[in-house]
Amino acid sequence: MEKENKKRFVLVHGLCHGEWTWYKVKTQLVAAGHSVTAVDLAASGINMTRLEEIQTLKDYAKPLLDILSSVEEDKVILVAHSMGGISVSLAADIFPRKITAIVFLTAFMPDTSNPPTYVYEKDLTLARMLVRVNPLATDNLAGTRSFSEEGYESVTRIYIVCGEDIAVPEDYQRWMINNFPVKEVMQIEYADHMAMFSRPRELCALLLEIADKYS
């Protein structure tokens, strides 16, 4: 593939997961000729950071921020799954000029008017479940300052709705979209929460379409 047609994807996992969740999608994107990095956030996957070392969202997202800090020429397409949406939003707030687009895959998508935790605290049952699973899903980690219009909001955002998601139901995904409208909404009708496992081919096709359209 010619260099001008080669895109760089950075794939960000959800809560209690790791970069391994992306192996099917990563393989297909690489086979299509693109550069792909799947990142382990702090204390996730094989990242050796200890949980007690993570005091802020920046601490948790440091592996992702380090990747973006090293980007010099080609912009990246960030793809976030589930709670990974909070980390990529922080990254976009800090490095907006290094990002072509953010793809939220049934992901929590903060706005620029409320604290990052707002998008999952709207559902109290979901919020309690997240905190029980991982105490990082609190204001202590995400902070109380909203992301900025000149940073995060300036980056093109696309949302991929997963129609059979039980963890983050479709109506909740669409509430986040209505709360903070995106450039484009796509859907994988029969995908569950783990679309990278249940519908990797359909997901990869949408990511390639996004790369062609927005890069």
Side-chain angles (χ1 to χ4, degrees):
M1 177 177 287
E2 295 180 0
K3 188 178 187 301
E4 59 267 24
N5 295 322
K6 184 176 182 178
K7 316 303 181 190
R8 182 173 182 185
F9 291 87
V10 177
L11 312 179
V12 182
H13 62 81
L15 196 66
C16 299
H17 289 155
E19 61 88 18
W20 56 269
T21 60
W22 293 105
Y23 76 96
K24 290 184 178 181
V25 172
K26 179 178 179 179
T27 299
Q28 293 183 40
L29 291 174
V30 169
H34 299 293
S35 171
V36 184
T37 302
V39 60
D40 276 326
L41 297 173
S44 303
I46 61 172
N47 183 282
M48 298 303 291
T49 304
R50 293 178 299 173
L51 199 60
E52 56 267 28
E53 295 175 34
I54 302 173
Q55 300 298 317
T56 67
L57 181 58
K58 278 188 177 181
D59 294 337
Y60 180 56
K62 185 177 185 302
L64 172 61
L65 300 179
D66 287 347
I67 289 171
L68 289 175
S69 179
S70 68
V71 171
E72 295 182 356
E73 294 183 4
D74 297 332
K75 290 185 175 183
V76 307
I77 298 169
L78 289 181
V79 184
H81 174 243
S82 194
M83 280 289 286
I86 307 295
S87 295
V88 301
S89 300
L90 171 68
D93 210 37
I94 297 172
F95 299 110
R97 292 181 178 85
K98 295 189 176 187
I99 302 167
T100 297
I102 307 171
V103 182
F104 290 87
L105 173 65
T106 188
F108 291 97
M109 182 174 64
D111 56 35
T112 54
S113 302
N114 299 285
T117 55
Y118 173 75
V119 289
Y120 55 81
E121 287 178 344
K122 288 289 288 182
D123 185 326
L124 292 178
T125 300
L126 179 60
R128 288 170 185 147
M129 180 272 289
L130 289 171
V131 172
R132 185 169 65 250
V133 170
N134 192 326
L136 296 180
T138 65
D139 283 338
N140 291 336
L141 176 67
T144 57
R145 183 184 67 84
S146 60
F147 298 127
S148 69
E149 295 178 4
E150 63 272 17
Y152 166 52
E153 190 171 357
S154 71
V155 179
T156 298
R157 288 171 292 112
I158 299 97
Y159 202 103
I160 299 179
V161 173
C162 292
E164 294 190 351
D165 193 337
I166 297 174
V168 185
E170 181 176 350
D171 60 349
Y172 202 84
Q173 297 173 59
R174 293 194 180 278
W175 173 83
M176 288 187 282
I177 294 166
N178 291 333
N179 177 63
F180 196 48
V182 297
K183 184 75 171 179
E184 183 172 359
V185 178
M186 298 176 163
Q187 180 162 358
I188 307 176
E189 185 174 358
Y190 298 110
D192 58 19
H193 188 61
M194 300 300 291
M196 62 281 281
F197 292 157
S198 63
R199 290 289 187 268
R201 189 169 299 176
E202 292 95 324
L203 174 55
C204 186
L206 291 182
L207 294 179
L208 292 175
E209 180 182 338
I210 289 167
D212 288 340
K213 187 180 295 186
Y214 295 102
S215 295

